[in-house]
Amino acid sequence: MAEIGYEQFAAMDLRVGEIESAERVEGTEKLLKLSVNVGGEIGRRTLVAGIADAYAPETLPGKRIIVLVNLAPRVIRGIESQGMLLAADVGGKAAVLSVDGGAPPGAKVR
């Protein structure tokens, strides 16, 4: 992968988000539609994430995750996704990065 400069990294707005709800995207095997509270002035965001092969929707509410909030919105399967969650690729499946401790929704990741 190509290296990026600090300025490019600094332009990313990463925040703690708390998943409020999750549901399968109809007609897909891997996509979930998530409602995520990213706190403060940002509020709630809808994310479409390819994690359904690793997570059942009912296990996600309450989970605190890392969200890239200043990614340009993109329509996926008719749903506007307003950011991206961070996940690792473990054996071809997503492992969502979660937050340990008391970081509240909206806390800036540095």
Side-chain angles (χ1 to χ4, degrees), residues 26-87:
E26 193 174 320
T28 71
E29 295 288 322
K30 290 189 175 185
L31 297 179
L32 293 180
K33 176 183 173 184
L34 309 173
S35 177
V36 180
N37 176 8
V38 284
E41 72 281 357
I42 299 169
R44 282 167 185 72
R45 292 283 176 98
T46 298
L47 306 180
V48 177
I51 61 172
D53 60 341
Y55 295 90
E58 62 273 9
T59 66
L60 293 171
K63 188 174 192 70
R64 293 212 176 153
I65 61 172
I66 306 299
V67 180
L68 176 60
V69 296
N70 64 335
L71 184 66
R74 183 174 177 193
V75 176
I76 302 170
R77 294 288 182 133
I79 303 164
E80 184 178 69
S81 187
Q82 304 163 320
M84 182 179 288
L85 62 78
L86 298 187

